[in-house]
Amino acid sequence: MIKATKELTLPTTITGSLPRPVWYTETLGARPFRDALADARFREQYTDAVATCIRDQERAGLDIVTDGDARFDTDVGGMSWFQYPARRFKGLAGGDYYRTRKGYGGTAKGDIIFEVMESRVMPRAVARIERGPLQYSSLWKVAQGMTVRPVKFGTITPELIGTSVGNDYYSSQEELLRDISAAMRDELRELAGAGCAIIQMEEPNIHLVGVQRGGGAQLDVEFFVEIFNNTVKGLRDLTEVWCHTCWGNPAQQRLFATNQSYRDALPHLNKLDVDVLTFECATSDGMDLELIGKAITDKKIAIGVVDHRNLQVERPQQVADLIRRALKHIPADRLILSSDCGFGREGMSRRIAFYKMVSIVRGTNLVRKELGLPEARCLAADPRYALAEEM
Ligand SMILES: [Zn+2]
């Protein structure tokens, strides 16, 4: 159900993760979050880090904020995004399973993706998979208690966890995926029931249809649609549900060709039971905007207007130009502005991520002004608080 973005025209947000502050040195590891909060040093650093992430987004002027994925440790290539839930579901144990995927951004020794993949040690299914201490609602409450702006909570999808863990228990991967999906659904219902206004499902695998991948049996795209919709079943009655897609982020690397198009995936993505679909559009300079606008006609569409892999901060004019081109194919009341993906934890500095957020808002404000819409307050760009004279 459109809830958080209901009253907002051209709302701005980011995908989720922000670079960790250098002073945030504590680690969560495999501990349940609530247990870790009893550790005074972790509690102070974690809550300060979340407050900092939220404050940076508010200073930039974003309408919808995130907790910066501050639960994730400093890791190689976004490993915690996989491991946080994988280590906490019951039925998954150990940490010795890893594999490389052929044709996946290069997977031979000497390729950066090989190092990412060999660092991604995952558990194995050793018993029936059930809910464990993911404690998503506790994580969200800590963040939402710090701001009046809606906090979007993001999670990796069950299908991506299920295709990344080992299996010593199930007779088929489909069965394994169905049980993770059921366990995740209960977790997300509790989160929505707690009041979370936006839940973002990250990477449904579906946009990889037609993309050459290796490493294990290929599952049918319709099966992924079914699993996704099973996970979010009933969720839209409670909250606004987003689905995030992109072309990769491990160690800030793109895993697919730069001309990789969403074309083949759009009919399948349109079947997802969600309110908002997100698309990587900055890196491709809006290559798929027309296709997206034609294929997705009732859901809202969030487009990336800044690149999460490039260290060059986009100029507001560049962002505004992409938004204007998007508006030729997507009506303003269904368009949301975001980053292509999360800014990650190891590849980008906080400063660069911050100014990219500021550019999202400044660029959107240029278009809002042209359309006669109210502009967002961007404290970071308020000349009254400049320490040096503007040139
Ligand atoms: Zn992404």
Side-chain angles (χ1 to χ4, degrees), residues 15 203 244-246 249 340-342:
T15 301
E203 298 299 341
H244 166 75
T245 71
C246 75
N249 199 354
D340 271 355
C341 187

Side-chain angles (χ1 to χ4, degrees), residues 141-162:
K141 283 179 183 176
V142 169
Q144 191 64 78
M146 295 178 181
T147 180
V148 295
R149 300 185 197 209
V151 173
K152 174 163 60 88
F153 188 89
T155 176
I156 185 173
T157 57
E159 47 270 40
L160 208 45
I161 302 169

Side-chain angles (χ1 to χ4, degrees), residues 56 59-60 349-359 380:
D56 281 355
R59 284 198 300 134
S349 74
R350 282 186 61 199
R351 182 172 299 108
I352 292 171
F354 177 72
Y355 281 98
K356 280 183 179 261
M357 295 194 293
V358 171
S359 269

Side-chain angles (χ1 to χ4, degrees), residues 284-360:
S284 61
D285 194 29
M287 175 181 74
D288 283 334
L289 284 170
E290 186 175 356
L291 287 174
I292 292 167
K294 278 187 178 151
I296 313 297
T297 52
D298 62 342
K299 303 178 199 308
K300 289 200 178 188
I301 297 165
I303 62 163
V305 293
V306 298
D307 187 339
H308 58 291
R309 303 186 197 91
N310 189 340
L311 298 181
Q312 183 70 30
V313 177
E314 291 80 357
R315 299 297 303 156
Q317 291 78 7
Q318 190 183 343
V319 170
D321 175 63
L322 186 55
I323 298 171
R324 287 185 202 106
R325 284 188 279 137
L327 284 170
K328 288 181 182 159
H329 308 288
I330 303 161
D333 62 354
R334 286 199 294 116
L335 184 63
I336 298 169
L337 296 320
S338 186
S339 53
D340 271 355
C341 187
F343 293 120
R345 287 168 291 292
E346 64 166 0
M348 186 177 279
S349 74
R350 282 186 61 199
R351 182 172 299 108
I352 292 171
F354 177 72
Y355 281 98
K356 280 183 179 261
M357 295 194 293
V358 171
S359 269
I360 294 174

Side-chain angles (χ1 to χ4, degrees), residues 80-361:
S80 299
W81 183 60
F82 286 84
Q83 275 191 344
Y84 180 91
R87 283 176 160 187
R88 288 166 176 82
F89 281 122
K90 286 181 188 156
L92 291 173
D96 64 337
Y97 181 78
Y98 75 92
R99 68 174 190 194
T100 59
R101 291 177 178 179
K102 286 177 189 158
Y104 206 68
T107 51
K109 180 73 175 168
D111 294 331
I112 184 170
I113 295 302
F114 186 85
E115 184 166 323
V116 167
M117 296 307 286
E118 72 177 359
S119 304
R120 191 176 293 168
V121 287
M122 296 291 279
R124 294 169 173 277
V126 295
R128 188 188 168 111
I129 296 170
E130 295 174 9
R131 250 187 107 177
L134 272 70
Q135 300 176 347
Y136 279 177
S137 60
S138 295
L139 289 158
W140 170 78
K141 283 179 183 176
V142 169
Q144 191 64 78
M146 295 178 181
T147 180
V148 295
R149 300 185 197 209
V151 173
K152 174 163 60 88
F153 188 89
T155 176
I156 185 173
T157 57
E159 47 270 40
L160 208 45
I161 302 169
T163 51
S164 303
V165 295
N167 176 21
D168 297 334
Y169 178 78
Y170 290 94
S171 55
S172 73
Q173 197 175 44
E174 282 86 346
E175 270 182 78
L176 185 156
L177 287 173
R178 284 188 212 283
D179 277 358
I180 300 188
S181 169
M184 182 68 92
R185 185 175 64 224
D186 289 345
E187 187 70 32
L188 298 177
R189 281 188 180 171
E190 182 188 296
L191 172 64
C196 179
I198 302 177
I199 294 177
Q200 176 173 278
M201 308 300 296
E202 294 165 354
E203 298 299 341
N205 267 4
I206 292 160
H207 55 303
L208 305 184
V209 63
V211 176
Q212 183 62 40
R213 294 176 78 199
Q218 298 292 299
L219 294 175
D220 180 63
V221 66
E222 286 307 318
F223 175 74
F224 280 120
V225 170
E226 180 199 324
I227 282 287
F228 185 98
N229 284 341
N230 181 63
T231 307
V232 299
K233 195 173 178 184
L235 210 54
R236 288 175 72 195
D237 295 337
L238 303 169
T239 190
E240 186 168 313
V241 181
W242 293 30
C243 172
H244 166 75
T245 71
C246 75
W247 297 113
N249 199 354
Q252 247 75 22
Q253 301 302 299
R254 185 181 174 95
L255 296 172
F256 306 95
T258 49
N259 63 350
Q260 185 65 52
S261 169
Y262 284 104
R263 178 187 296 273
D264 294 339
L266 289 170
H268 305 288
L269 290 169
N270 206 24
K271 292 181 197 159
L272 299 184
D273 188 12
V274 298
D275 299 292
V276 178
L277 283 169
T278 87
F279 296 97
E280 181 172 326
C281 289
T283 313
S284 61
D285 194 29
M287 175 181 74
D288 283 334
L289 284 170
E290 186 175 356
L291 287 174
I292 292 167
K294 278 187 178 151
I296 313 297
T297 52
D298 62 342
K299 303 178 199 308
K300 289 200 178 188
I301 297 165
I303 62 163
V305 293
V306 298
D307 187 339
H308 58 291
R309 303 186 197 91
N310 189 340
L311 298 181
Q312 183 70 30
V313 177
E314 291 80 357
R315 299 297 303 156
Q317 291 78 7
Q318 190 183 343
V319 170
D321 175 63
L322 186 55
I323 298 171
R324 287 185 202 106
R325 284 188 279 137
L327 284 170
K328 288 181 182 159
H329 308 288
I330 303 161
D333 62 354
R334 286 199 294 116
L335 184 63
I336 298 169
L337 296 320
S338 186
S339 53
D340 271 355
C341 187
F343 293 120
R345 287 168 291 292
E346 64 166 0
M348 186 177 279
S349 74
R350 282 186 61 199
R351 182 172 299 108
I352 292 171
F354 177 72
Y355 281 98
K356 280 183 179 261
M357 295 194 293
V358 171
S359 269
I360 294 174
V361 175

